[in-house]
Amino acid sequence: MKIALARRGDHPRKQSQNYSSLPMSLHAVSLLLEAIFLKAKSLEALGRYKEAAQSCSVILDIVESSLPAGLPENFAADCKLQETLSNAVELLPELWKLADFPSETIISYRRSLLHPWNLDAQTVARIQKEFAVFLLYSGGEANPPNLRSQMDSSFVPRNNIEEAILLLMILLRKVSLDRIEWDPSVLDHLTYALSISGGLRALAYQVEELLPRTIEQKDRYEKLALCYYGEGDEWAALNLLRKLLSRAVDPTCVPALLLASKLCGDSCSYAEDGISFAQRAIESLKGRCDQLTGVANFLKGISLSNSSRSAVSDSQRVQRQTEALHSLEIAGKITQMKDPMIIYHLSLENAEQRKLDSAFYYAKFLLELENGSNPRAWLLCARILSAQKRFVDAESIINAALDQTGRWDQGDLLRTKAKLQIAQGQVKNAIETYTQLLAVLQVQLKSFGSGQKLEGGWKQNRNLELETWHDLASIYIRLSQWRDAEICLSKSEGINRHSAMRWHTAGMLHEAKGQHKEALKAFAHALSIDPSQVPSLVSLAVVLRRMGTQSPATVRSFLTEAIRLDRMNASAWYNLGLVFKDEGPGSATEAAECFEAAAFLEETAPVEPFR
């Protein structure tokens, strides 16, 4: 059989000389190969997959050794040789898969795709897709392919995921070139592969390149929005969702409405849009799915809460806060109080409205629901207790959390513990806790530097380190240890020289030294970096009032802006009361109201913000 195939595949000039000396006809070879293929199919039907795969391999071995350069075009057009070969090439990997031999399966798939078997485009596409699916979901890790025939500059996949992505992208390119028919599952598998490998922007490019007739406009907008949201480009995602939710596409698409509400609800500027999107989702669901209705009410509550912080009047703010709690409570009831995110925000909203008993109830409920597995529940519990001035209990909560939490998740817990120690007057203990925190952060940062650098975790740790140096500097300023405070500020400068909080802390140092002009410059610099930084607005107003170089109206404008940004800032209310007091008896009522607000907020202020 091998001799017959090899001679038939020789150059046309030699064919006339070779036909007479063929050991058997090509038709006979075709019949024999078909018989071997039928034997393999029979063994498959009997469940003897390994034997079936070995029989099927015989066909490929014969043809491959006879025609190493591949089958010429129109080879054996007068018999079923090509059809039998194509079926065998496609069947072999499936047989090894059924026999549970993953290595042989991968070798067979690569052999099917890399050797020129003269397969038609649809057969090659099916093999490529099945191979990609096997690489993605088989659970094993294959050795990278040895592509010796590739040029040096060609891409060679290093693992299963990269090889699957390469195959799926080749399939999408073939669809764009009209070489094969569109198969929606190809895009689904590519979406999964690029999502787990952090390639969402690459996925967005692939979706954008698809022809309009290939994918519906709604699906295109939805996939692109998810890609850009995953990459952190939230406003690009929101713009795509707005297009999707227009009357021309699908104004009642619930998943899109929920994602749009989430994106808007995270920003005070777009909170009203977030409320609208969530309400549209509730109306579109009409009670069809309790879980999604609960999510929609939850997102509506988040948007209402953010909207209350930018409310112009007190009545509007109180109304929004009431509606926010009501929506969150509805979400909790619908989900039977089993969604940790909803319970967390119920506790958080109650805490921010200074309903501390209710807030603590929900925080404890969350701890039990999550079995203490999430540090944020411990932190919220401790902050609520600190607002109730139960500092010892709050520190006990943090210590319990530290016992149950791995060292890599202890950063925020240690910082909260240090602040609780400061509130109890244990300054020396607080400094030791901050030192322990810095040691943990240094180990983590070195690990990020020597291994895979997870951008989100690395950035979060650097920010926590920056805040820790500022906290230490603030302690040394209160202790009048100027040199130590300056060292802490120099450390933070090495992390981020353009931090608004760093300039604020530097201003506090100058103010403590009596250097009012330098303090003003530092606070002004902080506000040039972040105009909404409340501590610098308050400190700037305090220094200006002490210096007496500006009119009371100017000082008052800084404080009212601080209160607009953070109505729970006790220091801003207190200093505004001092400004009204300086104005004389005519402003005594306003001064008293400010002092009353400051006293209430001070009595219920946590050691660090709830949110």
Side-chain angles (χ1 to χ4, degrees), residues 29 42 70 96 119 249 277 299 373 417 448 481 485-486 554 577 587:
V29 173
S42 300
W96 283 123
L119 305 176
V249 185
F277 284 128
L299 293 172
S373 61
K417 180 178 179 178
F448 281 124
Q481 297 181 16
E486 288 168 357
T554 303
S587 301

Side-chain angles (χ1 to χ4, degrees), residues 300-374:
K300 183 180 177 182
I302 298 297
S303 296
L304 284 163
S305 177
N306 276 327
S307 175
S308 71
R309 286 194 284 277
S310 58
V312 177
S313 64
D314 287 342
S315 59
Q316 186 182 9
R317 176 174 55 83
V318 171
Q319 181 185 353
R320 285 298 196 211
Q321 287 177 338
T322 304
E323 291 173 353
L325 267 182
H326 180 64
S327 292
L328 291 170
E329 286 167 357
I330 290 174
K333 289 176 183 176
I334 291 174
T335 56
Q336 300 178 350
M337 298 296 284
K338 292 180 180 178
D339 189 324
M341 186 64 73
I342 293 174
I343 298 168
Y344 174 78
H345 280 274
L346 264 170
S347 177
L348 185 62
E349 188 61 30
N350 275 288
E352 290 197 324
Q353 295 185 30
R354 297 304 193 262
K355 298 176 181 178
L356 298 178
D357 291 336
S358 296
F360 189 61
Y361 166 79
Y362 286 118
K364 283 199 304 181
F365 190 91
L366 179 62
L367 273 176
E368 294 171 5
L369 182 66
E370 295 182 326
N371 200 23
S373 61
N374 197 328

Side-chain angles (χ1 to χ4, degrees), residues 81-347:
L81 178 58
Q82 180 65 61
E83 181 184 344
T84 302
L85 180 61
S86 297
N87 290 335
V89 168
E90 194 170 358
L91 178 64
L92 181 59
E94 298 300 320
L95 292 173
W96 283 123
K97 195 190 302 181
L98 291 168
D100 196 20
F101 284 88
S103 298
E104 285 77 3
T105 302
I106 290 172
I107 291 170
S108 299
Y109 272 125
R110 288 174 178 164
R111 184 183 185 186
S112 301
L113 295 172
L114 295 176
H115 190 79
W117 302 108
N118 199 24
L119 305 176
D120 64 85
Q122 293 297 334
T123 302
V124 173
R126 284 196 301 272
I127 295 171
Q128 288 174 327
K129 176 190 165 185
E130 291 303 320
F131 186 22
V133 168
F134 184 79
L135 289 168
L136 285 174
Y137 311 115
S138 65
E141 186 63 45
N143 292 323
N146 182 16
L147 303 179
R148 290 173 294 177
S149 61
Q150 298 293 315
M151 297 174 62
D152 291 340
S153 60
S154 298
F155 171 75
V156 178
R158 297 167 295 180
N159 52 49
N160 283 22
I161 303 297
E162 288 189 359
E163 192 168 2
I165 290 171
L166 178 61
L167 289 164
L168 294 167
M169 290 176 73
I170 289 171
L171 286 170
L172 284 185
R173 180 50 58 95
K174 288 180 179 179
V175 169
S176 298
L177 297 174
D178 281 335
R179 292 179 182 172
I180 59 172
E181 296 178 358
W182 166 242
D183 181 355
S185 66
V186 171
L187 186 57
D188 293 338
H189 295 307
L190 183 62
T191 300
Y192 169 74
L194 287 171
S195 296
I196 63 174
S197 58
L200 290 174
R201 193 165 292 277
L203 176 61
Y205 293 152
Q206 291 297 315
V207 174
E208 287 169 348
E209 287 180 359
L210 290 174
L211 297 173
R213 66 175 182 275
T214 306
I215 182 173
E216 290 187 8
Q217 195 173 30
K218 172 188 170 182
D219 294 336
R220 185 190 300 272
Y221 285 146
E222 190 171 8
K223 285 188 181 294
L224 286 173
L226 288 169
C227 287
Y228 285 117
Y229 174 61
E231 282 292 306
D233 193 348
E234 296 181 351
W235 303 125
L238 183 58
N239 288 334
L240 287 161
L241 290 170
R242 290 185 191 279
K243 291 180 180 180
L244 191 160
L245 294 167
S246 65
R247 293 184 181 276
V249 185
D250 187 357
T252 61
C253 178
V254 173
L257 286 167
L258 294 177
L259 181 56
S261 178
K262 174 177 171 53
L263 292 172
C264 292
D266 291 339
S267 167
C268 292
S269 303
Y270 293 89
E272 292 298 322
D273 289 339
I275 298 168
S276 174
F277 284 128
Q279 186 60 40
R280 284 169 59 184
I282 293 168
E283 293 169 359
S284 298
L285 284 163
K286 297 177 181 176
R288 287 176 297 167
C289 176
D290 287 346
Q291 193 64 34
L292 287 178
T293 304
V295 172
N297 277 284
F298 164 66
L299 293 172
K300 183 180 177 182
I302 298 297
S303 296
L304 284 163
S305 177
N306 276 327
S307 175
S308 71
R309 286 194 284 277
S310 58
V312 177
S313 64
D314 287 342
S315 59
Q316 186 182 9
R317 176 174 55 83
V318 171
Q319 181 185 353
R320 285 298 196 211
Q321 287 177 338
T322 304
E323 291 173 353
L325 267 182
H326 180 64
S327 292
L328 291 170
E329 286 167 357
I330 290 174
K333 289 176 183 176
I334 291 174
T335 56
Q336 300 178 350
M337 298 296 284
K338 292 180 180 178
D339 189 324
M341 186 64 73
I342 293 174
I343 298 168
Y344 174 78
H345 280 274
L346 264 170
S347 177

